[in-house]
Amino acid sequence: MRQRIHRVVQNARDRARPARRNTHAAHDRSAARVPGEARRPSIAVGYVREEQRSDAPRIAGRGDGTGVLDNPLRARHLDPWRRPRVFAAVAVPVLLVSHPDCARHDTGPEHLETALRLSALRAALNADAMLLGAVREVAGAPAAEADLLRVHSRRHVQKVRQAARAARRQGLVWLEADTPVSQGSWDAALAAAGCAAQAAELVVSGAATRAFALVRPPGHHAFRDRAMGFCLFNNAAVAVRRLQAEGRVGRVLVVDCDAHHGNGTQELFYGDPSVYALSLHFSPGYPDSGAPDERGAGVGLGTTRNVPLPHGTGGTDYLARFAEALAAVRDEFEPELVVLALGLDVLAGDPEGHLLLEPIDLHRLVSDLLRAMPSSARGRLVTLLEGGYAVERIGPGFAQVLRAMAELPPADGAGPT
Ligand SMILES: [Zn+2]
């Protein structure tokens, strides 16, 4: 046994004085709080003399003598004499659901949507010791065919599977101008949809209030009967429909903050009053839909909302329009769960995005969403990765999103607000 001095994370229940944060991320968390939920520890950081034992939470150090626990949920098991003396931060656990098959969707040498995106996001997470202390990895399971068939036609599902089989013999098979299928794409698509559904299930079951499905291929352009825009199956819709089919959730708000209109998601829920689809996106441009007067149809009229934004919209204007939209949604819908379909192509420098957000804006975006979520959602947020193609830019944006989900302050050096 060794005596070490660490800066450690500790359950704030052990302290009489609550932790405070000193950034704009500090806000009224009442809307996101789950009353009496034991799984949501408040976590504080402080200096403490710790006796390192095999069963003690390990410290993820930053090389400067500071760090956070690898698993904050275990902090409550620290002996009382090892409790911290100084508080500095608070975190909510975030589940990160992924599957290695997501990297097997090979789009060829010229395509923007590559597995390098996942590598870049992983690197950004691993470089953020404070964030690592709030994130718990979960190995996702592939979706079943029955999951896909709740959303997509049998014809489309078979078409994707057969294209992947054909790709074994002949190389990439293109389902449409932007969307190739390789021999690994079927497994990747099942993994992506399965991780999305599992992330949503974990949140609804109470395992955590926040989860991020780190997946590709993306999903929000996938229609019931066809692939489009790099998307094979609609991951968000597969997640929502599985939970609804199992009777685990009724009303869901899907917030699409990819740079492009979430046209597939809109189509799938257009006539359904149980799912509200909100999309912010640049306009005019691909996929040439998402006008404000597209508000749903039939009994679903009023549960679709589109916010087209001019090319070149930056963080301040984007967040102002986002706040307006969330206020409108609050008046119209009481979700039990919020799904954020997040495209990192909203960041400045994206080759496809035409918007000019900075990574710090994504922290504000998620923080604003958590604050604006109706109490009916009980703070339950599932985020799914959609687009984002500037590999050198997306890592910092991803870290800021996870930090906001964990209710940690934004990372330093993330650019101007
Ligand atoms: Zn996009």
Side-chain angles (χ1 to χ4, degrees):
M1 291 188 180
R2 294 178 293 157
Q3 293 288 322
R4 298 175 64 184
I5 295 176
H6 286 303
R7 204 174 179 207
V8 302
V9 179
Q10 173 67 3
N11 190 327
R13 290 182 312 171
D14 297 332
R15 302 290 295 187
R17 212 168 52 180
R20 290 182 64 85
R21 291 170 293 169
N22 58 0
T23 77
H24 68 261
H27 56 248
D28 175 10
R29 299 168 61 223
S30 59
R33 182 168 292 127
V34 180
E37 194 206 6
R39 293 187 183 86
R40 287 195 63 204
S42 295
I43 300 159
V45 177
Y47 284 96
V48 64
R49 184 174 296 277
E50 181 190 30
E51 186 176 11
Q52 193 72 25
R53 299 190 319 207
S54 60
D55 62 345
R58 287 171 297 150
I59 310 299
R62 292 191 291 194
D64 60 356
T66 67
V68 293
L69 290 179
D70 67 334
N71 184 349
L73 296 178
R74 291 159 61 196
R76 68 188 66 174
H77 303 305
L78 287 175
D79 294 337
W81 66 274
R82 291 195 284 165
R83 288 173 188 163
R85 299 182 183 119
V86 181
F87 282 175
V90 174
V92 172
V94 178
L95 307 182
L96 186 69
V97 186
S98 63
H99 191 291
D101 280 353
C102 288
R104 294 180 55 218
H105 176 54
D106 179 358
T107 52
E110 306 291 330
H111 206 280
L112 290 170
E113 201 288 286
T114 74
L116 290 175
R117 301 169 63 230
L118 298 181
S119 304
L121 302 186
R122 282 276 171 198
L125 171 59
N126 290 334
D128 190 332
M130 178 180 278
L131 186 53
L132 282 170
V135 170
R136 282 192 288 153
E137 292 269 359
V138 176
E145 192 167 334
D147 292 316
L148 304 180
L149 292 173
R150 289 190 200 100
V151 173
H152 297 286
S153 66
R154 187 172 296 278
R155 190 180 80 111
H156 175 55
V157 171
Q158 290 177 345
K159 186 174 181 181
V160 175
R161 180 165 44 199
Q162 287 164 1
R165 285 179 183 155
R168 276 185 220 155
R169 302 185 301 275
Q170 65 190 67
L172 294 185
V173 174
W174 293 79
L175 297 182
E176 53 111 47
D178 298 322
T179 312
V181 169
S182 68
Q183 60 178 329
S185 296
W186 171 254
D187 289 337
L190 290 183
C195 287
Q198 189 166 342
E201 277 186 328
L202 287 166
V203 166
V204 169
S205 70
T209 53
R210 312 279 157 76
F212 192 111
L214 183 58
V215 297
R216 65 180 285 275
H220 73 148
H221 294 309
F223 292 97
R224 172 172 173 75
D225 197 41
R226 65 184 169 101
M228 183 179 179
F230 312 166
C231 302
L232 298 176
F233 300 126
N234 194 301
N235 302 322
V238 169
V240 170
R241 290 303 191 213
R242 184 197 282 180
L243 291 183
Q244 289 183 322
E246 293 173 350
R248 301 173 78 170
V249 73
R251 297 177 308 282
V252 181
L253 168 62
V254 180
V255 179
D256 192 306
C257 287
D258 188 274
H260 304 92
H261 178 227
N263 56 339
T265 308
Q266 172 171 302
E267 183 226 39
L268 288 162
F269 298 123
Y270 207 58
D272 182 351
S274 74
V275 180
Y276 195 117
L278 167 66
S279 178
L280 282 77
H281 43 266
F282 73 81
S283 180
Y286 190 91
D288 299 317
S289 56
D293 61 357
E294 297 169 23
R295 295 291 332 265
V299 292
L301 184 61
T303 54
T304 294
R305 178 173 289 275
N306 285 299
V307 182
L309 302 165
H311 289 223
T313 297
T316 301
D317 290 340
Y318 187 104
L319 291 166
R321 300 294 303 275
F322 189 49
E324 290 172 11
L326 291 175
V329 172
R330 261 183 91 104
D331 291 339
E332 296 172 341
F333 198 67
E334 289 194 329
E336 297 158 50
L337 173 71
V338 177
V339 174
L340 173 61
L342 180 76
L344 295 168
D345 50 5
V346 295
L347 291 170
D350 190 277
E352 295 284 315
H354 305 299
L355 300 176
L356 300 176
L357 275 67
E358 295 295 330
I360 187 70
D361 296 320
L362 293 178
H363 191 282
R364 287 184 54 199
L365 186 156
V366 174
S367 298
D368 289 352
L369 176 59
L370 288 170
R371 189 166 55 244
M373 278 164 56
S375 57
S376 56
R378 298 164 61 199
R380 302 191 297 195
L381 175 64
V382 179
T383 305
L384 314 180
L385 180 65
E386 297 286 354
Y389 309 104
V391 171
E392 73 287 357
R393 297 275 295 157
I394 57 178
F398 174 61
Q400 296 288 22
V401 168
L402 287 180
R403 276 178 169 255
M405 291 180 73
E407 302 188 19
L408 288 167
D412 295 333
T417 301

